[in-house]
Amino acid sequence: MKTYYYDHSASTPMLPVVIETMSELMKLHYANAAALHRSGADAMKLVDRARASIAERMGAEPSEVVFTSGGTESNNLAIKGTVNKVARTTKHIILSAIEHASVYECVRQLESLGVQSTIVPVDSLGRVNPEDVAKAIRKDTVLVSIMQVNNETGAIQRIREIGDVISTHPQVRFHVDGVQAIGKVPFLWKEWGVHLYTGSAHKFGGPKGMGFLLVKNGIELASLLTGGGQEQGVRSGTHNVPGIVAMSQALRLTLEGRDARRERMFEMRRQLLKRIEDIPELLLNGADADNEDTAPHIINLSYPGMRPEVIIHMLEKQGVLVSSQSACSSKSLLPSRVLLAMGHDAERASGSIRISFGDEHTWNDIEILSDKLKAVVAELRPLERNLK
């Protein structure tokens, strides 16, 4: 049976050419890039070229690119690195109610150490009001962390407007988790007043275990990992040369096709939502089919009263792979924190599935997915009546 993968928000398949590049580099460039011999110098040249390539495509300087192990480390480095660098005794962080766990739980951990935080709300579409950020800023605020695209619903935040608010408070740093945005929606991090921007390779066709944090020149961070002093002393550890080069190649390829991808995925999103309009049990969480103020590759649907794992496993038997919440939280039995923040009740927030598209999907895949959804819901209707 053929498998249809609709879980790109959790992880994208590596691009074939990126796999080939990484494999070849593993064979030829195994030396430590910090070594003084020729092989080490050759490895460092590859790291430097990859850094320059990423910087060019992200609108940054090479010195502003810090390589990490992925989105979680980048988010932790941005938040803890900022907080730990500030000498003042009282420190305050602002974040939204729908941040990824690598931001949300990071802040909770800091709270246990005496850091204070304010969680700003979102509207019914999962969007932060910049005015709420402005009201939350205090004299001891050191950081605002707002994701660009929500990983569960695809809601796009008003980063430019939030950046304008923060720009009037020079002591405040602005961190944006861009993991779900890169290759899908436009970004101009510096022009929008962002100081720290997170990326993760396996969300845009690169390898797992690789990411980066853009750190605007002049912004100082305390390191999380100390040791050999790599990455300007911010992130010690031996460079993963094949992974770094593969990430830079994947980024180049995904950004080259961003506009066409965005248009194509929006049309797929419209078509799928149109095809399942006659399934009353499935409720859309987020922007409707005609609203383009959302990421084009994510659709979040709820079947209130039905556990998401039931739907997911029934679809899997049909060869269709989707997910629930974020991959990091998918095994939790708790309602989605994101959907609760958007004003949905616990029943709806507990019964959501997430569909996320990729470059390999065709119009035929959309037809197959809609047909499978209809078949599964039809099979579940008698079960739902029995549960009631």
Side-chain angles (χ1 to χ4, degrees):
M1 180 176 60
K2 182 177 179 180
T3 298
Y4 298 88
Y5 183 78
Y6 302 94
D7 197 17
H8 281 247
S9 290
S11 191
T12 59
M14 277 185 70
L15 298 170
V17 66
V18 175
I19 295 174
E20 293 175 9
T21 296
M22 193 168 180
S23 177
E24 192 67 17
L25 287 169
M26 286 178 174
K27 297 174 187 176
L28 299 177
H29 294 280
Y30 42 80
N32 192 318
L36 295 178
H37 49 64
R38 182 179 298 175
S39 291
D42 289 343
M44 184 55 78
K45 287 179 182 177
L46 291 172
V47 171
D48 290 341
R49 288 173 190 166
R51 192 189 308 277
S53 175
I54 291 173
E56 179 182 0
R57 285 163 178 81
M58 297 297 295
E61 298 296 324
S63 59
E64 295 175 317
V65 179
V66 175
F67 293 127
T68 70
S69 64
T72 292
E73 185 188 341
S74 291
N75 285 340
N76 273 256
L77 176 57
I79 297 168
K80 294 176 181 175
T82 297
V83 168
N84 293 336
K85 194 66 179 180
V86 176
R88 69 182 67 161
T89 55
T90 60
K91 303 169 187 179
H92 174 246
I93 299 173
I94 298 170
L95 68 158
S96 82
I98 61 168
E99 295 303 308
H100 186 269
S102 60
V103 169
Y104 195 86
E105 296 300 330
C106 176
V107 173
R108 288 188 63 184
Q109 185 183 58
L110 288 172
E111 287 176 342
S112 69
L113 301 175
V115 176
Q116 298 181 353
S117 72
T118 297
I119 297 176
V120 294
V122 295
D123 63 18
S124 61
L125 295 181
R127 299 172 302 189
V128 173
N129 186 336
E131 292 182 4
D132 289 333
V133 176
K135 293 175 184 177
I137 294 177
R138 310 183 331 198
K139 290 183 178 180
D140 59 349
T141 302
V142 298
L143 181 73
V144 175
S145 184
I146 305 290
M147 67 194 335
Q148 186 174 0
V149 171
N150 183 260
N151 51 296
E152 289 188 36
T153 67
I156 299 176
Q157 302 305 329
R158 294 151 66 180
I159 299 300
R160 183 198 298 268
E161 294 177 49
I162 296 172
D164 288 342
V165 167
I166 295 171
S167 68
T168 62
H169 301 272
Q171 85 281 8
V172 180
R173 300 292 175 253
F174 187 17
H175 166 241
V176 171
D177 176 354
V179 166
Q180 293 292 345
I182 295 174
K184 312 298 192 308
V185 301
F187 61 90
L188 293 168
W189 70 291
K190 280 188 181 178
E191 289 84 342
W192 295 349
V194 177
H195 302 105
L196 303 151
Y197 190 89
T198 292
S200 182
H202 76 108
K203 306 296 188 178
F204 52 78
K208 295 179 180 66
M210 280 306 311
F212 59 81
L213 178 66
L214 302 183
V215 183
K216 187 177 180 180
N217 282 334
I219 301 299
E220 296 184 353
L221 298 176
S223 61
L224 297 185
L225 303 176
T226 56
Q230 290 89 345
E231 296 304 289
Q232 305 174 63
V234 176
R235 201 275 185 185
S236 293
T238 301
H239 287 103
N240 178 354
V241 178
I244 289 170
V245 175
M247 176 170 65
S248 70
Q249 184 182 35
L251 182 66
R252 173 177 61 82
L253 294 171
T254 198
L255 291 182
E256 284 176 354
R258 185 185 63 194
D259 293 342
R261 177 184 302 107
R262 179 176 171 82
E263 184 177 343
R264 182 169 170 272
M265 286 186 177
F266 261 128
E267 187 55 36
M268 286 187 169
R269 186 178 188 274
R270 292 189 193 97
Q271 290 300 320
L272 178 61
L273 292 177
K274 183 177 181 180
R275 289 179 65 89
I276 63 173
E277 283 179 345
D278 57 349
I279 309 178
E281 291 86 354
L282 296 182
L283 306 179
L284 175 64
N285 301 312
D288 61 30
D290 296 321
N291 187 340
E292 293 195 1
D293 191 22
T294 184
H297 63 301
I298 300 174
I299 296 177
N300 190 293
L301 302 169
S302 282
Y303 189 151
M306 190 62 62
R307 294 297 305 172
E309 62 267 24
V310 174
I311 304 173
I312 290 169
H313 291 317
M314 289 184 69
L315 285 170
E316 186 176 10
K317 290 180 180 178
Q318 302 282 335
V320 172
L321 304 182
V322 300
S323 63
S324 172
Q325 301 186 34
S326 70
C328 301
S329 307
S330 60
K331 295 182 180 179
S332 171
L333 296 178
L334 298 175
S336 163
R337 172 170 50 82
V338 171
L339 297 187
L340 289 175
M342 291 166 61
H344 299 305
D345 60 29
E347 185 177 60
R348 181 162 174 172
S350 298
S352 67
I353 63 171
R354 180 185 65 183
I355 297 163
S356 45
F357 304 128
D359 288 345
E360 78 273 20
H361 291 131
T362 65
W363 305 116
N364 184 56
D365 293 323
I366 299 303
E367 293 179 8
I368 291 171
L369 176 57
S370 61
D371 290 343
K372 299 297 185 183
L373 283 169
K374 290 179 180 180
V376 165
V377 171
E379 190 174 346
L380 287 174
R381 282 180 186 129
L383 176 60
E384 181 188 10
R385 287 194 290 268
N386 291 335
L387 290 174
K388 292 180 178 180

